[in-house]
Amino acid sequence: MLHQLRRIPKAAASAVVVTLALAGAFLTPAESARAADPAYKVLVFSKTAGFRHDSIPAGTQAIRDLGAANNFTVTATEDSAAFSTANLAQFKAVVFLSTTGDVLNATQQSALQSYLDGGGGYFGIHAAADTEYDWPQYEQIAGAWFKSHPAIQQATVRTEDRANAATSHLGQTWSRTDEWYNYRTNPRANVRVLQSLDEGSYSGGEMSGDHPITWCHPQGNGRAFYTGLGHTQESYADPAFRTLLLGGIRYAAGFAKADCRAETGYTSLYNGSTTGWSQAGPGSFTNTDATLTSQGGMGLYWYRTKEYASYSLKLDWRMPGDDNSGVFVGFPSSDDPNSAVNQGYEIQIDATDTADKTTGSVYGFKSADLAARDGALNPPGQWNGYEIRVEGERLQVFLNGVKINDFTNTDPARSLRQGYIGIQNHGTGDDVSFRNIRIKELGGTTPPQSSTYEGESYTSSQGVQPADHGPASGGRTLGYIENGDWAGYSQAQLAGARTFSARVSSAGAGGTIQVRSGSATGPVIGSVGVSNTGGWETFQTVSTALTGTPTGPVFLTFTGGAGSLFDVDTFTLGR
């Protein structure tokens, strides 16, 4: 492929009490039971350059109502001039309410991109996916572009994530009437899917049975949330949908914490069925609405079907107040809960205790990073998500997607290399609930020494575009790179990285790749030159050491002469 011209101008660029779960939506206690967020501002943007939805006024009023009840003020506009760096700085989140067509110029696109990279929030509703087709980065922000839709009809919505503030009030399924979008691509590989459609429940689904409809994902240093719901005026009078809107706004604004990293390859251990689980010791767990809730104790509810070695364990938990529970890993098979205490490790759930015995700690052994923990934690009454990652004797704890503990076992009486998992019922009055326990086996006993990423899988960028090349991994590269361009990868975290290598090609001027930590203007922790390789289809590998103690997501910045410099096929972080 020739690179003289960009395809798009750069300017545009024991016994368990079992109760059958109920299907359908249900409402949690009133929002007034939740502590108010600090006062903040939200921009609602509803400009249309294509089809105009008659539900826009109802949607705007619904968001105003939510703001009045939840401590945020709303500025509603259809003036694209609102997208300036100075104006956006006053808002915690920007809502694209059924926008359509090309509604931002290049300068305004750049302002939105900078706003999100700097920590701002985006929330797209319904036709927000039918917007900004001339700006490739917008597809990354929204998650996917609209393709088509059948007639308005009733369908079944599956709730895949019941911990996110936008969906925790819903049952496992939700029957509702709306206009159901098909998308040009499936976003699942790049976003955390919160809801999907059962294509067998309606006519006109065109996504081969895997049909995400609501999702979230990190966007630079900010956050992005999208829902395809919201075509009809009636939607905005529905309390369940209004709660979804509020949760999406609060996530985008940074107040509702959630793990919105893409998730694939996990096997469910509990999502309503208790098959394979057993109670050790006194007390029990109720099982209602695909939710386990502890009562009595002190006991342990453990998954006795299989021992695990090298895995990522994820689960959602909620405590109503100052309660106590925990997740045990690495213990031997036993009907005595003390075997887990004495031969395994507990990742604690407890609102108040000493640092080594409170939420996020490896109980009695290592405190969480309390600043990171407090920044990632939703308060009592709200759902949180743990990822407990065990590789060899190393145990890492992530809270709502943020790493808060990193512990290595040195006790000869214990070993994390193989064992069972379980959840604790601590005692009367310590009422902690769990949902969606799932595991992904990692296929080894030691941490991976390297991680490889596709160059075109950027989550934020300036100037660059994907380019098609047959010899490239997946047939595409990060292309159209010119001096001053950059690409960010929120999924590629630098913690522990020591080396950087990239598979590159060039029939252009060549140049330099700078590896930056945390943002496009963050510290340069490594740089490597790229020479002309003899053609865009001819690839070579370049590499460099990384310096300092890099943290945060990877950002690649590019320098060189005039015109297209080089393409990046894949890059690898070595540890």
Side-chain angles (χ1 to χ4, degrees):
M1 173 179 287
L2 296 178
H3 278 57
Q4 289 89 342
L5 296 175
R6 294 177 183 266
R7 288 173 289 173
I8 298 173
K10 185 172 182 178
S14 143
V16 176
V17 180
V18 179
T19 305
L20 293 177
L22 297 177
F26 68 99
L27 297 179
T28 53
E31 282 294 327
S32 60
R34 174 179 54 80
D37 298 322
Y40 62 102
K41 296 181 180 180
V42 171
L43 179 67
V44 175
F45 182 58
S46 55
K47 182 176 180 179
T48 54
F51 182 84
R52 185 168 183 84
H53 285 73
D54 63 8
S55 60
I56 287 175
T60 302
Q61 186 58 49
I63 296 171
R64 288 191 189 278
D65 293 344
L66 290 170
N70 292 277
N71 213 28
F72 65 85
T73 56
V74 173
T75 298
T77 186
E78 300 202 350
D79 184 357
S80 300
F83 288 83
S84 68
T85 299
N87 188 56
L88 290 176
Q90 66 182 301
F91 298 104
K92 283 287 189 181
V94 174
V95 178
F96 276 50
L97 176 58
S98 284
T99 51
T100 55
D102 185 6
V103 292
L104 301 177
N105 65 28
T107 300
Q108 293 155 358
Q109 291 168 351
S110 179
L112 176 59
Q113 181 72 72
S114 297
Y115 166 76
L116 295 174
D117 290 340
Y122 163 93
F123 183 5
I125 301 174
H126 194 56
D130 189 23
T131 302
E132 291 298 297
Y133 292 104
D134 70 331
W135 182 27
Q137 183 55 35
Y138 186 79
E139 183 183 20
Q140 302 275 345
I141 295 170
W145 270 322
F146 164 81
K147 176 186 176 185
S148 63
H149 66 78
I152 296 171
Q153 59 192 292
Q154 187 177 76
T156 298
V157 182
R158 298 189 182 108
T159 311
E160 295 192 20
D161 185 330
R162 299 178 66 210
N164 192 286
T167 50
S168 63
H169 64 295
L170 299 172
Q172 291 183 291
T173 60
W174 186 18
S175 181
R176 59 176 286 109
T177 297
D178 215 316
E179 181 181 72
W180 305 112
Y181 277 9
N182 299 303
Y183 300 95
R184 297 185 182 186
T185 56
N186 190 321
R188 186 178 292 276
N190 299 310
V191 303
R192 175 66 172 127
V193 176
L194 307 181
Q195 295 178 299
S196 58
L197 292 177
D198 177 357
E199 289 194 336
S201 68
Y202 74 105
S203 299
E206 298 178 354
M207 298 189 68
S208 302
D210 182 15
H211 196 139
I213 198 68
T214 301
W215 56 77
C216 59
H217 62 96
Q219 180 62 48
N221 289 317
R223 299 149 304 280
F225 188 102
Y226 170 82
T227 183
L229 282 63
H231 173 85
T232 66
Q233 296 181 46
E234 292 80 5
S235 294
Y236 297 94
D238 177 1
F241 183 59
R242 283 193 170 208
T243 301
L244 186 153
L245 293 177
L246 177 61
I249 291 169
R250 294 187 64 241
Y251 168 75
F255 293 113
K257 311 300 182 179
D259 186 355
C260 284
R261 299 172 297 170
E263 181 178 307
T264 58
Y266 283 79
T267 299
S268 177
L269 301 185
Y270 168 78
N271 200 18
S273 170
T274 57
T275 300
W277 290 82
S278 181
Q279 180 73 26
S284 62
F285 282 80
T286 64
N287 179 23
T288 302
D289 189 46
T291 305
L292 293 169
T293 301
S294 64
Q295 57 182 14
M298 176 179 301
L300 181 75
Y301 198 43
W302 61 295
Y303 188 71
R304 65 187 306 159
T305 301
K306 184 177 180 179
E307 287 187 277
Y308 290 97
S310 190
Y311 55 89
S312 167
L313 173 69
K314 290 188 176 184
L315 51 81
D316 305 325
W317 57 268
R318 181 182 66 183
M319 55 182 173
D322 184 9
D323 297 281
N324 191 317
S325 184
V327 183
F328 278 89
V329 297
F331 58 90
S333 175
S334 176
D335 287 324
D336 179 0
N338 288 319
S339 67
V341 174
N342 296 325
Q343 294 177 268
Y345 285 105
E346 179 186 8
I347 295 78
Q348 179 72 332
I349 299 170
D350 187 348
T352 58
D353 207 327
T354 58
D356 66 338
K357 296 178 180 178
T358 189
T359 296
S361 67
V362 181
Y363 185 88
F365 289 89
K366 187 174 182 180
S367 168
D369 177 333
L370 296 181
R373 190 277 309 273
D374 291 348
L377 181 66
N378 291 317
Q382 299 178 37
W383 286 92
N384 289 277
Y386 266 165
E387 178 189 5
I388 300 165
R389 193 176 182 95
V390 174
E391 296 167 289
E393 297 291 359
R394 184 184 184 189
L395 187 160
Q396 299 175 78
V397 181
F398 297 80
L399 175 65
N400 296 324
V402 176
K403 185 175 176 178
I404 62 168
N405 210 333
D406 196 335
F407 169 77
T408 300
N409 171 53
T410 59
D411 183 349
R414 306 168 194 259
S415 177
L416 288 164
R417 292 186 180 274
Q418 189 156 336
Y420 290 89
I421 65 165
I423 54 178
Q424 183 187 61
N425 54 302
H426 188 268
T428 301
D430 285 322
D431 306 315
V432 178
S433 297
F434 296 87
R435 282 178 174 171
N436 196 16
I437 305 174
R438 65 256 191 221
I439 199 164
K440 181 177 183 178
E441 296 184 81
L442 302 178
T445 58
T446 58
Q449 298 303 301
S450 64
S451 302
T452 299
Y453 305 89
E454 296 287 340
E456 70 275 12
S457 67
Y458 53 86
T459 55
S460 58
S461 69
Q462 175 177 289
V464 299
Q465 298 173 42
D468 295 329
H469 291 293
S473 172
R476 304 186 90 188
T477 66
L478 176 70
Y480 301 92
I481 297 171
E482 296 183 5
N483 182 53
D485 288 351
W486 58 266
Y489 301 84
S490 61
Q491 73 276 35
Q493 296 292 314
L494 283 164
R498 293 291 177 263
T499 62
F500 170 88
S501 62
R503 188 170 185 256
V504 298
S505 68
S506 177
T512 300
I513 302 173
Q514 296 175 319
V515 185
R516 294 180 182 265
S517 175
S519 74
T521 57
V524 177
I525 58 173
S527 64
V528 62
V530 179
S531 301
N532 187 304
T533 64
W536 296 112
E537 312 292 316
T538 302
F539 291 89
Q540 296 178 1
T541 298
V542 296
S543 60
T544 184
L546 301 179
T547 60
T549 308
T551 59
V554 173
F555 281 77
L556 305 181
T557 58
F558 309 110
T559 62
S564 292
L565 305 180
F566 48 81
D567 281 9
V568 177
D569 179 15
T570 62
F571 68 88
T572 299
L573 300 176
R575 291 175 169 82

